[in-house]
Amino acid sequence: MNSMTIAVDVAKSVFEVAVSEHPGQVRERHRLSRGRFSRFLAEHPPATVVMEACGSAHHWAREAQSRGHRVVLVPPHAARPYVLRNQTDRTDAKGLLEAFRNDDLRPVPVKSETQQALAGLHRLRSTWVATRTARLNTLRGILREFGVVIPTGAHHVVPHVRALLEDLDAGVPGLLRVALGEAIREVGELEERIRAIERQLATAAEPALLSRRLRTVPGIGGRGCNRREAKPIIRVAIKGLELDWLTTRHARPRLDRGVQIRG
């Protein structure tokens, strides 16, 4: 591995590349399409490739590693202070070179395809849960206008609405009945999707060494967890995210991913 550093401002279609051999000096710059950037990685001698840990960065990091390069993913908050002028692709790439020179930089670990797939499952589940909650709240709000108050708790909504639709004297206007029926069918479909994805996550959690270690943590596995079905989901969520402080000896906890460390 030589001392050459390649900073890449990752984008959807055009990549800004800055190549440096000496600290603080940019030897050459390139603006490359996705296909040309892939060829650039394949043809360039092994070097240190520096990218910001943003969308699609892990994919390109894995490709660069497969081409023999060393990859450093810079957290966005660590790269931002080094962009000295107006934010452009060129200044972003130069900022990455400067951030890489910081000895206190803590790179983001490159995610495997499996980790990203698990994270994707969690994103889909979160989206469907939010959609279900929105539909249930809409049903509550609509029926409240007709004097119908549904008890607290998401599990009360669908049975209550179904009972109202079956009772022709419940005071629900006929104009609304078909649409309300469609809404509760949609909620049922969302719940089936959520259950299916939870089964996938539970299956994925079982063979993982990290998941077995997390079972010993109160509130995640073993005692102290009131929702048994939530435990494998929490374990595999932590496995899929970049929570490297659980597995890296000298890593520093990150508090910007929904996990709070106290004490």
Side-chain angles (χ1 to χ4, degrees), residues 171-185:
V172 179
L175 191 62
L176 267 177
R177 288 178 173 272
V178 174
L180 291 176
E182 291 295 331
I184 61 173
R185 277 192 289 273

Side-chain angles (χ1 to χ4, degrees), residues 103-152:
D103 292 335
D104 294 329
L105 176 68
R106 296 179 181 274
V108 175
V110 178
K111 288 183 183 179
S112 66
E113 287 187 351
T114 300
Q115 285 178 304
Q116 287 201 288
L118 291 174
L121 287 177
H122 277 282
R123 289 176 64 183
L124 287 170
R125 179 183 177 275
S126 296
T127 299
W128 290 337
V129 169
T131 302
R132 180 189 62 179
T133 301
R135 297 296 181 272
L136 295 178
N137 289 339
T138 299
L139 288 170
R140 286 179 182 276
I142 290 172
L143 292 173
R144 194 178 296 121
E145 298 297 329
F146 299 98
V148 178
V149 178
I150 299 176
T152 302

Side-chain angles (χ1 to χ4, degrees), residues 7-240:
V8 183
D9 182 52
V10 178
K12 293 181 180 179
S13 55
V14 180
F15 296 68
E16 181 73 27
V17 179
V19 181
S20 174
E21 284 186 316
H22 304 286
Q25 299 179 10
V26 177
R27 192 190 73 178
E28 58 187 73
R29 294 182 182 273
H30 304 277
R31 284 184 65 80
L32 306 174
S33 64
R34 292 174 61 89
R36 290 179 60 195
F37 178 62
S38 182
R39 291 194 296 272
F40 175 83
L41 291 175
E43 297 169 359
H44 200 283
T48 299
V49 178
V50 183
M51 293 183 282
E52 184 178 314
C54 59
S56 77
H58 291 274
H59 163 73
W60 290 110
R62 290 193 297 269
E63 178 160 341
Q65 287 177 334
S66 70
R67 305 296 188 179
H69 301 286
R70 174 196 172 208
V71 176
V72 176
L73 293 182
V74 179
H77 67 85
R80 197 168 298 114
Y82 294 94
V83 180
L84 302 180
R85 298 187 297 278
N86 293 334
Q87 189 171 17
T88 64
D89 293 345
R90 288 175 65 91
T91 57
D92 285 351
K94 183 65 163 60
L96 288 171
L97 288 174
E98 297 301 321
F100 175 64
R101 295 168 57 190
N102 186 351
D103 292 335
D104 294 329
L105 176 68
R106 296 179 181 274
V108 175
V110 178
K111 288 183 183 179
S112 66
E113 287 187 351
T114 300
Q115 285 178 304
Q116 287 201 288
L118 291 174
L121 287 177
H122 277 282
R123 289 176 64 183
L124 287 170
R125 179 183 177 275
S126 296
T127 299
W128 290 337
V129 169
T131 302
R132 180 189 62 179
T133 301
R135 297 296 181 272
L136 295 178
N137 289 339
T138 299
L139 288 170
R140 286 179 182 276
I142 290 172
L143 292 173
R144 194 178 296 121
E145 298 297 329
F146 299 98
V148 178
V149 178
I150 299 176
T152 302
H155 61 284
H156 289 298
V157 178
V158 172
H160 207 96
V161 175
R162 187 174 288 117
L164 289 172
L165 295 179
E166 293 172 354
D167 184 359
L168 297 179
D169 298 324
V172 179
L175 191 62
L176 267 177
R177 288 178 173 272
V178 174
L180 291 176
E182 291 295 331
I184 61 173
R185 277 192 289 273
E186 182 186 8
V187 171
E189 291 172 0
L190 288 168
E191 289 178 342
E192 179 54 38
R193 293 178 195 172
I194 293 167
R195 285 192 293 268
I197 215 166
E198 286 175 352
R199 289 192 291 268
Q200 282 186 274
L201 292 171
T203 301
E206 290 307 314
L209 173 61
L210 177 56
S211 296
R212 293 198 296 271
R213 292 172 60 187
L214 288 169
R215 290 179 193 174
T216 63
V217 179
I220 296 179
R223 297 179 182 177
C225 185
N226 295 324
R227 295 186 61 191
R228 179 175 300 177
E229 67 277 8
K231 292 187 286 184
I233 296 173
I234 296 172
R235 292 198 297 268
V236 79
I238 293 175
K239 178 176 179 291

